[in-house]
């Protein structure tokens, strides 16, 4: 018989029918007359109850069914008399795919801490919590493509191996095939990269933006959605060394268009998750974050506050609040500052714009004041920065000057500057950290819990 996914069993058309279910056992309980197995197959957070009438099965047959084992059951789907479920399967036949020795299977009891599960990341997708998170993550990924495709954006794949440092932060993972125990050197003692695979130093990308701009200034509107790597040694609940970023880039857009797009985009994703992941979000709300659904709806129902960095710093300075990191005009805002503005002051998501040029990347459009650039950061409750973006400097001379000032090797940037040399246009874009969005939507508090296999300093297990 063809397998039915557990998520489909709750649809009316299966009631009273013969079904075949397969999955992993969550629990088995009962007595010598009847045994109940809670089965989950990952298709939904809900388990289905399998009822074994012990006049038809032997103890010997059911003995291997312990938590974590995998089974196949043929039976009839009937309405359930018991509490906690609407339907159940009355088993007719049983096949055991694999056992899970109770002595060794790590996910025995319920209620493991998230920290414990991080060390069992190879098995944690089998828990209700991670099942829910991973399904929400998948739905959000689909929503992102849907949002952009419906608006005529083209999906552009930008390289993961690159020779340019987009954010200029120098936090890149080098890519090399040189023998690290026997590095070829030039006469001046420096590494001879001409002997390396690409004939020059290369690294994993920190952002697809620069290539994204090449796409946008040809196709009009593009988005990227791919892995991004940052070798910053920041062990925080919001940083990963490998994360996924979505970067739309649009020709003929200014910073206001960009802010509108960012706000519409985030709201679309949240609304999509609320509509399509109700069971999972309700589960996460019930177990981890009672205010989750209200917080998600609150973001949908409110316009984001828009103000300049200068205004934001003034509010922080005048707040009288004691921050760990000092706040003054010119300081890079820390998460505590961002969250103060969002959670304490405005009590709404905030878009801060026009940051001092010194604390932002080289490509941002310079304002008339010569001091600030057309940057925009979207700040969210519990998260801080969720989006970073800007209108780009489209003027060749101004951009070249900035590249020189920052001592960025010009010869490596020739192809980027060609966008400004030939048919330059105003354009803007931003980057959304996918895991920060998943954090927000799932109500989790540590970014390590919203990506299947997190990469962080000193951790590349699994
Ligand atoms: O602000 P960032 O560094 O901006 C850029 O990379 C631009 N090139 C984007 C653009 O304009 N196209 O990063 C963008 C977003 C941040 O707002 C944050 O959500 C996320 O990426 N992010 C991280 N997420 C997880 N771990 C990290 N280490 C992250 N660094 C940035
Ligand atoms: Mg940023």
């Amino acid at each position: 018989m063809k397998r039915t996914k557990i998520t489909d069993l709750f649809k009316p058309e299966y009631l009273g029918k013969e079904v075949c279910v397969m999955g992993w056992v969550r629990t088995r309980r009962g007595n010598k007359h009847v045994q109940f197995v809670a089965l989950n197959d990952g298709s939904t957070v809900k388990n289905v109850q399998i009822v074994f009438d012990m006049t038809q099965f032997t103890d010997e047959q059911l003995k291997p069914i312990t938590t974590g084992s995998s089974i196949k059951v043929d039976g009839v789907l009937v309405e359930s008399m018991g509490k906690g479920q609407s339907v159940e399967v009355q088993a007719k036949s049983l096949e055991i795919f694999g056992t899970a020795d109770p002595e060794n299977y790590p996910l025995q009891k319920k209620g493991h801490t998230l920290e414990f599960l991080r060390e069992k990341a190879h098995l944690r997708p089998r828990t209700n919590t991670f099942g829910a998170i991973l399904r929400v993550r998948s739905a959000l990924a689909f929503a992102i493509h849907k949002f952009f495709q419906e608006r005529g954006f083209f999906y552009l794949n930008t390289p993961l191996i690159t020779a340019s440092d987009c954010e200029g932060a120098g936090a890149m993972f080098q890519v090399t095939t040189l023998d690290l125990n026997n590095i070829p050197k030039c006469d001046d003692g420096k590494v001879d990269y001409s002997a390396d695979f690409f004939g020059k130093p290369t690294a994993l990308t920190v952002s697809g933006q620069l290539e994204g701009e090449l796409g946008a200034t040809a196709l009009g509107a593009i988005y990227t959605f791919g892995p991004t790597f940052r070798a910053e040694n920041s062990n925080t609940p919001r940083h990963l060394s490998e994360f996924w970023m979505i970067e739309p880039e649009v020709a003929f857009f200014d910073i206001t268009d960009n802010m509108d797009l960012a706000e519409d985009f985030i709201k679309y994703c949240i609304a999509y998750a609320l509509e399509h992941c109700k069971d999972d979000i309700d589960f996460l709300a019930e177990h981890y974050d009672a205010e989750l659904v209200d917080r998600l709806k609150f973001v949908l129902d409110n316009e984001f506050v828009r103000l300049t960095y200068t205004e934001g710093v003034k509010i922080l300075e005048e707040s009288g609040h004691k921050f760990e990191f000092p706040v003054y005009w010119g300081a890079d805002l820390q998460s505590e500052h961002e969250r103060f503005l969002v959670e304490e002051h405005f009590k709404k998501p905030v878009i801060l714009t026009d940051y001092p040029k010194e604390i932002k990347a080289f490509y941002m459009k310079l304002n008339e004041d010569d001091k600030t650039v057309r940057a925009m950061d979207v700040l969210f409750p519990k998260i801080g920065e969720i989006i970073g973006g800007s209108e780009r400097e489209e003027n060749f001379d101004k951009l070249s000057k900035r590249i020189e000032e920052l001592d960025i090797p010009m010869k490596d940037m020739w192809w980027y500057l060609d966008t400004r040399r030939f048919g330059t246009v105003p354009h803007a874009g931003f980057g959304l950290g996918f895991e920060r969005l998943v954090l927000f939507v799932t109500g989790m508090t540590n970014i390590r819990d919203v990506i299947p296999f997190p990469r962080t300093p000193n951790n590349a297990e699994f």
Side-chain angles (χ1 to χ4, degrees), residues 166-167 206-207 209 230 232 234 238-241 243 245 247-249 363 377 385-390 392 429-433 435-436 447:
C166 173
E167 293 306 297
V206 295
S207 159
Q209 180 196 321
R230 302 221 176 156
E232 343 161 70
S234 30
R238 278 174 301 277
H239 287 88
L240 289 164
S241 312
F243 63 101
M245 182 148 63
E247 295 186 278
E249 191 72 34
Y363 49 71
D377 278 7
E385 180 189 336
I386 194 164
I387 280 182
S390 69
R392 319 304 189 190
F430 61 79
L432 168 81
E435 285 73 20
R436 295 201 183 166
I447 201 161

Side-chain angles (χ1 to χ4, degrees), residues 193-205:
Y193 281 105
S194 70
D196 202 350
F197 191 89
F198 295 106
K200 58 176 167 182
T202 51
L204 296 177
T205 189

Side-chain angles (χ1 to χ4, degrees), residues 349-416:
V350 169
I351 311 183
L352 267 195
T353 61
D354 304 285
Y355 284 70
K357 65 178 177 189
E358 286 78 16
I359 57 171
K360 288 291 179 188
F362 73 96
Y363 49 71
M364 297 189 182
K365 188 177 172 73
L366 193 61
N367 279 317
E368 253 102 75
D369 62 12
D370 220 24
K371 287 197 303 216
T372 58
V373 287
R374 269 176 224 180
M376 50 164 255
D377 278 7
V378 180
L379 313 178
F380 254 44
K382 298 217 154 210
I383 307 286
E385 180 189 336
I386 194 164
I387 280 182
S390 69
E391 187 172 335
R392 319 304 189 190
E393 182 57 76
E394 85 274 20
N395 180 286
F396 178 84
D397 294 328
K398 286 188 191 164
L399 185 61
S400 308
K401 188 165 159 263
R402 194 74 190 123
I403 289 174
E404 259 166 51
E405 276 168 12
L406 293 170
D407 219 15
I408 298 168
M410 195 76 145
K411 79 172 183 5
D412 298 339
M413 299 300 291
W414 65 272
W415 52 270
Y416 182 68

Side-chain angles (χ1 to χ4, degrees), residues 79-189:
E79 258 178 80
S80 177
M81 298 295 160
K83 263 191 277 176
Q85 68 268 328
S86 52
V87 292
E88 61 192 22
V89 176
Q90 267 168 355
K92 287 190 165 170
S93 74
L94 163 72
E95 184 184 328
I96 293 170
F97 290 128
T99 56
D101 179 6
E103 298 283 307
N104 294 311
Y105 184 60
L107 305 179
Q108 276 313 320
K109 288 187 256 77
K110 285 181 174 179
H112 292 298
T113 65
L114 295 169
E115 288 80 6
F116 172 84
L117 292 174
R118 253 170 246 154
E119 284 164 17
K120 306 278 180 270
H122 60 309
L123 291 172
R124 68 178 182 174
R126 291 199 196 168
T127 63
N128 287 334
T129 297
F130 283 88
I133 293 166
L134 295 179
R135 282 185 296 270
V136 171
R137 184 179 165 109
S138 169
L140 283 170
F142 183 71
I144 287 163
H145 282 291
K146 199 160 151 9
F147 175 87
F148 287 117
Q149 295 286 337
E150 282 169 355
R151 284 158 187 74
F153 285 61
F154 300 103
Y155 180 36
L156 185 78
N157 299 122
T158 51
L160 299 189
I161 300 176
T162 173
S164 52
D165 182 358
C166 173
E167 293 306 297
M172 300 185 89
F173 289 102
Q174 243 190 287
V175 172
T176 180
T177 53
L178 292 177
D179 177 358
L180 296 184
N181 292 308
N182 185 19
I183 297 172
K185 298 278 174 70
C186 304
D187 292 341
D188 62 3

Side-chain angles (χ1 to χ4, degrees), residues 4 17-18 36 44 50 87 91 106 144 165 169 204 215 237 241 243 292 325 346 363 373 389 406 425 433 440-441:
T4 306
K17 302 264 163 67
E18 295 251 351
F36 302 99
T44 163
I50 317 281
V87 292
I144 287 163
D165 182 358
L204 296 177
S241 312
F243 63 101
L292 178 60
F325 292 91
F346 290 109
Y363 49 71
V373 287
L406 293 170
V425 288
F440 186 73
V441 173

Side-chain angles (χ1 to χ4, degrees), residues 239-339:
H239 287 88
L240 289 164
S241 312
E242 177 181 293
F243 63 101
W244 287 64
M245 182 148 63
I246 299 96
E247 295 186 278
E249 191 72 34
V250 194
F252 319 112
F253 249 34
D254 66 14
I255 189 170
T256 308
D257 302 320
N258 208 31
M259 286 192 276
D260 292 344
L261 180 72
E263 187 167 340
D264 286 350
F265 172 48
I266 295 208
K267 286 181 170 171
Y268 181 95
C269 294
I270 294 172
Y272 186 92
L274 277 171
E275 188 183 337
H276 294 88
C277 308
K278 191 176 179 324
D279 289 346
D280 289 322
I281 290 176
D282 285 348
F283 173 87
L284 294 167
E286 188 188 328
H287 289 87
Y288 294 96
D289 182 353
E291 283 145 34
L292 178 60
V293 176
D294 286 343
R295 195 178 317 112
L296 297 178
K297 288 190 176 150
F298 182 78
V299 168
L300 295 185
D301 294 342
N302 283 280
E303 269 180 33
F304 297 2
V305 178
R306 300 178 184 191
L307 77 161
T308 64
Y309 166 93
T310 303
E311 289 162 335
V313 166
K314 195 155 172 275
I315 291 169
L316 292 168
E317 281 175 332
E318 287 170 1
S319 70
H321 188 88
K322 251 199 111 37
F323 294 107
E324 188 187 339
F325 292 91
V327 57
Y328 52 90
W329 199 94
D332 205 354
L333 296 186
Q334 304 293 324
S335 169
E336 55 168 341
H337 306 132
E338 297 171 341
R339 291 183 60 178

